[in-house]
Amino acid sequence: MTELPSRRLLLVHAHPDDESINNGATMARYAAEGAHVTLVTCTLGERGEVIPPELRHLTGAALGEHRKAELAAAMAELGVHDVRLLGGPGRYGDSGMMGLPDNDDPACFWQADVDEAAASLAEVILEVRPQVLVTYDEDGGYGHPDHIQAHRVAMRAAELAGAAGWRIPKVYWNRVPRSVAEDAFARLREELPGLPFPSAAAVSDVPGVVDDDRVTAEIDGGAGHAAAKAAAMRAHATQIAVAPGERCFALSNDLAQPLFTTEYYELVRGEAAGHGGNRETDLFAGTTDAAEAA
Ligand SMILES: CC(=O)N[C@H]1[C@@H](O[C@@H]2[C@H](O)[C@H](O)[C@@H](O)[C@H](O)[C@H]2O)O[C@H](CO)[C@@H](O)[C@@H]1O
Ligand SMILES: [Zn+2]
């Protein structure tokens, strides 16, 4: 087995596009710094709506294949080379939005056996031996069944891997501090007349918004990685429209929302290593190879 870099980050996401929206700047930064970044995406998003009219013929498996290609293009923008589809391509289907009959499809991720899916993910964890795991909170950020299931599978896989010899030192959930979201939307509403979107989403539409004091880490993408994040989001052209200036985007609902170039996290497993009560600015802070002896 080839020797992996000393710092290894694992991210678990539901659909192609979530990784760039939630963690694009973080992934770009750590990839650029030489850390090993592994993305596990749980479905191909074949039930998604499609934004560009010229691509609206893409549905079902054809859309899934197209979104797999979009994911590859997005990861090229971020410099991420280790991309896995949970259980292999097409193993788990897109479950559709919560409450739809799609959720009852026996092949969809929402119907998956969590322990079986987690065992598959635990194999990746035991192979990569990451110091950091990033995924969603128990609500999946915004209540989408695939996001909730990704959370459940990721947290269960971390338990299984821990019992099998690799305890992931730090586990984070994707977050946005409420004050940051509120300020960003206030600016967005002022700028709306100059934007290519008819209206703005609401703070409650942003996944993972919590009171500021629950946010324990922030990763500032800076200009370089912010540009990579916007390019990665643009690569998901069936799902995301990024406005000129790259300060906001919209999904297929055409509701403008801020494009955050600083990304925020809540540490839910492990020891925080912030200084003087300040937020961590490095997700690997406090991790050592000593954990590998665990
Ligand atoms: C960001 C995300 O998780 N997107 C999912 C989501 O897509 C949304 C869905 O199509 C909804 O109906 C639209 O109004 C919204 O604009 C979309 O973002 O759900 C899809 C179906 O499960 C999924 O493929 C997509 O990746
Ligand atoms: Zn998603």
Side-chain angles (χ1 to χ4, degrees):
M1 179 172 80
T2 53
E3 190 67 26
L4 288 176
S6 59
R7 297 191 303 166
R8 302 175 297 280
L9 165 64
L10 171 64
L11 303 103
V12 180
H13 278 291
H15 312 105
D17 72 7
D18 295 309
E19 81 298 325
S20 297
I21 296 169
N22 288 278
N23 312 112
T26 302
M27 296 168 81
R29 166 185 159 179
Y30 284 119
E33 291 180 357
H36 185 82
V37 180
T38 301
L39 169 66
V40 174
T41 300
C42 298
T43 80
L44 286 174
E46 66 274 15
R47 285 193 160 104
E49 295 176 347
V50 174
I51 297 172
E54 67 276 14
L55 295 178
R56 284 188 188 149
H57 63 282
L58 292 171
T59 60
L63 178 56
E65 278 306 304
H66 187 88
R67 289 186 69 177
K68 188 161 71 162
E70 288 184 338
L71 181 59
M75 293 306 96
E77 296 289 353
L78 301 181
V80 171
H81 307 294
D82 187 3
V83 181
R84 326 271 181 110
L85 296 168
L86 185 63
R91 173 69 183 83
Y92 298 107
D94 184 334
S95 305
M97 296 292 275
M98 186 59 86
L100 294 180
D102 299 334
N103 303 168
D104 301 325
D105 179 346
C108 78
F109 192 40
W110 185 236
Q111 295 297 329
D113 178 283
V114 170
D115 278 341
E116 178 185 304
S120 180
L121 180 57
E123 288 178 17
V124 177
I125 294 171
L126 291 170
E127 172 200 334
V128 172
R129 301 166 74 85
Q131 290 91 354
V132 176
L133 166 65
V134 169
T135 191
Y136 315 110
D137 67 13
E138 66 279 5
D139 186 41
Y142 75 100
H144 188 295
D146 293 331
H147 286 233
I148 294 169
Q149 195 75 317
H151 160 85
R152 292 172 179 172
V153 168
M155 298 307 286
R156 179 63 178 140
E159 287 174 6
L160 294 175
W166 181 257
R167 173 190 52 77
I168 302 174
K170 300 178 85 176
V171 178
Y172 291 91
W173 292 346
N174 295 307
R175 289 303 190 194
V176 179
R178 192 174 314 285
S179 69
V180 170
E182 290 172 345
D183 293 348
F185 271 97
R187 284 194 301 275
L188 182 60
R189 284 190 289 270
E190 287 177 6
E191 297 167 359
L192 200 56
L195 293 174
F197 308 120
S199 52
V203 169
S204 57
D205 295 320
V206 176
V209 173
V210 292
D211 291 344
D212 290 22
D213 60 2
R214 285 189 62 177
V215 177
T216 62
E218 58 182 60
I219 303 296
D220 182 350
H225 304 317
K229 172 170 183 170
M233 290 175 68
R234 279 207 169 92
H236 290 288
T238 59
Q239 303 301 306
I240 304 171
V242 177
E246 302 178 349
R247 287 163 53 85
C248 74
F249 70 98
L251 302 170
S252 61
N253 55 16
D254 218 17
L255 296 174
Q257 52 181 301
L259 195 163
F260 294 111
T261 58
T262 295
E263 293 161 346
Y264 300 89
Y265 302 89
E266 178 181 8
L267 183 70
V268 293
R269 298 279 189 286
E271 296 298 319
H275 300 291
N278 297 319
R279 290 174 181 155
E280 296 174 304
T281 55
D282 177 7
L283 302 182
F284 289 95
T287 63
T288 65
D289 284 349
E292 301 192 26

